[in-house]
Amino acid sequence: ISCAGLTIDKNGSLYVVDSGNHEVRRYRREESQGTVVAGGNGSGNRLYQLSYPYYVFVDRDHSVYVSEWNNHRVMKWVEGAKQGIIVAGDQGQGNGLTQLSCPRGVVVDQLGTVYVADAGNHRIMLWPNGAKQGSVIFGGNGAGGQSNQLIVPIVIPLLGSSIDIHPNARWQQNGITVAGGNGEGNGINQLSNPWSLYVDEDQTIYVADTSNHRIVEWKWGTTSGQVVAGGNGQGSGAHQLNEPRDVIVDKERDCLIISDTSNGRVVRWPRRNGTSGETIISNIVCWGLTIDENGSLYVVDSGNHEVRRYRRGESQGTVVAGGNGSGNRLDQLYNPHYVFVDRDHSVYVSEWRNHRVMKWVEGAKQGIVVAGGQGQGNGLTQLSCPYGVVVDQLGTVYVAEGWNHRIMRWPNGAKQGSVIVGGNGRGGQSNQLNWPIGLSFDRHGNLYVVDCGNHRVQKFNINSNIKPS
């Protein structure tokens, strides 16, 4: 096979671009032959043909998007279709907004917007769903090495903050324990009051094992974890942690960034074979952390009721939410706990005392209530002690409610939310939670919840039979 691009869908099926045979093949688990899902009719520019396809993207409905180097276009092949639909380019090779030149990497968001690396034009283009022309979102300033230039861009990575979840998605109500669940303890198969987690692309999870003063890595499918930071007793030494409340991965530096809360510091720890950490922020009552695609670090300073952004190389940081003392005004936060940053650099903050989630658009002087804010309670318009927060590509807010032992979803602009898992009373059954704190999604949309009171991490698989409304 003359293989170019690859991708994998939520069911584990592998899609392979066979450039030499001008086709894309899908290999379901354990299959050796595969099935042609795009092209396969020789090289050409008809709608049922491909000509030197390079990269592939598969959406949640299993439609296949293929960039064609020789036809200067991107094609969409709906599952089971005999021919494709042109979604970008195909107006001849060129640098106009209706054209592409030797396209390579392709990514498609939840709205069907196509992002393509237009290699021959040294630019990245965006094509809205159904549009006849695109727009340049980066590059296009000639081939070069300046910060606003590219030279033959190949692949567009998906941003970690771009979470693609169908608006009608449902999750299985019985969770699967993927970390801990063997009672409270400090064994390698146990957790003690875990608070937060980070889910990597390969479904490896990093857990802030708070009362064990350590960060534990659990590989997918394993029954025990590996200590990757701390685990040397409670303390303030460089090799120790003291009740860490959050952990994230800085891919660029291949390190962990840890909210070492009771030591009043943020620590950078080598991701592999690290024996000690480096303090990067001191004198802070830090809870949640996140990092954006530019490498800027966002830190929740709960003691000062604010969120600060630290660009690479900065030591002071800039207040991006709160900073006006504790209170419930729109320009204030009150005991903020966790933070999420979207692709537009809007900051979402859960407020433990105000029982709400706030959105602060970049540069804004005050926030917008996007969940809760109707007093503490268990109604669908209310939150009670919110913790972890995640926002998907459509602006839907997902929040872990500690006191109500449930995970809620609030669509963009909604006045009330809905319960997606939990909400069945406090308990340790597979459909129950006991003080959930952290939450995250993997790239397939499966939901992970840090079930603190049950000393475990639960995975709730997304139902795979949801179709667009």
Side-chain angles (χ1 to χ4, degrees):
I1 185 171
S2 178
C3 177
L6 301 164
T7 194
I8 194 168
D9 70 16
K10 61 187 178 183
N11 299 321
S13 296
L14 177 66
Y15 295 75
V16 179
V17 177
D18 185 348
S19 192
N21 285 317
H22 313 287
E23 65 188 23
V24 179
R25 300 184 71 86
R26 180 191 64 218
Y27 294 81
R28 292 196 168 106
R29 290 193 186 277
E30 312 304 329
E31 281 187 350
S32 59
Q33 296 302 314
T35 302
V36 175
V37 292
N41 297 299
S43 174
N45 63 3
R46 296 188 179 92
L47 294 180
Y48 58 85
Q49 294 178 303
L50 299 173
S51 185
Y52 293 101
Y54 259 70
Y55 288 94
V56 62
F57 181 91
V58 177
D59 69 14
R60 63 193 174 198
D61 299 317
H62 304 114
S63 293
V64 173
Y65 295 77
V66 192
S67 62
E68 292 184 76
W69 189 82
N70 211 38
N71 281 329
H72 312 290
R73 67 187 183 185
V74 177
M75 296 284 284
K76 174 184 178 180
W77 292 64
V78 176
E79 186 175 22
K82 299 301 183 184
Q83 64 180 34
I85 305 160
I86 299 162
V87 293
D90 200 45
Q91 297 299 314
Q93 183 176 13
N95 61 4
L97 294 181
T98 64
Q99 297 175 302
L100 296 172
S101 178
C102 305
R104 301 294 179 92
V106 60
V107 169
V108 183
D109 71 15
Q110 201 168 19
L111 299 178
T113 304
V114 175
Y115 301 80
V116 57
D118 190 11
N121 288 319
H122 316 290
R123 65 189 184 184
I124 307 298
M125 292 196 74
L126 175 154
W127 292 66
N129 193 347
K132 298 302 183 185
Q133 69 176 40
S135 59
V136 180
I137 59 173
F138 191 79
N141 299 306
Q146 301 300 312
S147 60
N148 68 339
Q149 294 179 303
L150 300 169
I151 300 179
V152 192
I154 303 295
V155 178
I156 307 170
L158 278 171
L159 301 183
S161 58
S162 295
I163 297 168
D164 183 11
I165 298 172
H166 194 282
N168 297 331
R170 297 290 183 270
W171 288 264
Q172 293 178 16
Q173 294 301 293
N174 293 308
I176 303 165
T177 301
V178 293
N182 296 299
E184 182 179 9
N186 62 5
I188 59 171
N189 68 340
Q190 294 178 302
L191 298 170
S192 180
N193 298 309
W195 275 67
S196 190
L197 85 167
Y198 178 93
V199 181
D200 212 345
E201 283 88 348
D202 62 358
Q203 299 181 49
T204 296
I205 61 175
Y206 296 85
V207 183
D209 190 10
T210 303
S211 293
N212 281 326
H213 317 290
R214 66 189 186 183
I215 307 298
V216 185
E217 175 192 77
W218 291 68
K219 298 284 190 184
W220 170 242
T222 59
T223 57
S224 61
Q226 177 183 353
V227 178
V228 291
N232 297 305
Q234 182 178 12
S236 59
H239 65 299
Q240 294 176 303
L241 298 171
N242 189 350
E243 297 184 332
R245 293 296 205 282
D246 204 2
V247 58
I248 59 175
V249 174
D250 182 345
K251 293 294 184 64
E252 186 172 327
R253 298 188 179 186
D254 198 28
C255 66
L256 305 173
I257 301 177
I258 302 164
S259 172
D260 192 11
T261 306
S262 293
N263 278 327
R265 66 189 182 186
V266 177
V267 175
R268 181 187 296 125
W269 201 291
R271 191 177 178 188
R272 307 177 199 284
N273 304 315
T275 57
S276 63
E278 170 195 3
T279 299
I280 57 174
I281 304 172
S282 301
N283 303 315
I284 183 171
V285 184
C286 176
W287 286 67
L289 302 164
T290 195
I291 195 168
D292 69 17
E293 79 276 9
N294 299 319
S296 296
L297 177 66
Y298 296 75
V299 178
V300 177
D301 184 348
S302 191
N304 286 319
H305 313 285
E306 65 188 24
V307 179
R308 299 183 73 88
R309 179 192 64 219
Y310 294 81
R311 291 194 169 107
R312 289 202 184 278
E314 285 185 346
S315 58
Q316 297 302 315
T318 302
V319 175
V320 293
N324 297 302
S326 67
N328 63 4
R329 297 195 313 257
L330 293 180
D331 66 340
Q332 294 178 304
L333 300 173
Y334 195 2
N335 285 133
H337 274 20
Y338 287 94
V339 62
F340 182 91
V341 176
D342 69 15
R343 59 189 176 186
D344 298 319
H345 304 119
S346 294
V347 173
Y348 296 77
V349 192
S350 63
E351 292 184 75
W352 195 77
R353 290 280 185 183
N354 282 330
H355 311 290
R356 67 187 184 185
V357 176
M358 296 285 284
K359 174 184 179 180
W360 292 63
V361 175
E362 186 175 21
K365 299 300 183 185
Q366 65 180 32
I368 305 159
V369 180
V370 293
Q374 300 297 315
Q376 183 176 13
N378 62 5
L380 294 180
T381 64
Q382 297 176 301
L383 297 174
S384 183
C385 305
Y387 286 96
V389 59
V390 171
V391 183
D392 71 15
Q393 219 160 5
L394 297 179
T396 304
V397 175
Y398 301 82
V399 58
E401 275 195 272
W403 190 260
N404 285 326
H405 315 292
R406 66 189 185 185
I407 308 299
M408 289 195 76
R409 169 171 59 189
W410 292 66
N412 193 347
K415 299 300 183 185
Q416 70 175 39
S418 60
V419 179
I420 58 170
V421 298
N424 299 307
R426 180 179 183 177
Q429 300 300 312
S430 61
N431 69 337
Q432 292 180 304
L433 299 169
N434 181 359
W435 209 264
I437 296 181
L439 80 160
S440 187
F441 293 92
D442 64 22
R443 60 193 178 89
H444 305 300
N446 301 312
L447 171 64
Y448 296 73
V449 179
V450 180
D451 191 9
C452 180
N454 285 320
H455 315 290
R456 66 187 183 184
V457 176
Q458 294 289 91
K459 178 184 178 185
F460 296 88
N461 287 317
I462 192 168
N463 289 336
S464 59
N465 59 350
I466 296 295
K467 297 296 182 185
S469 56

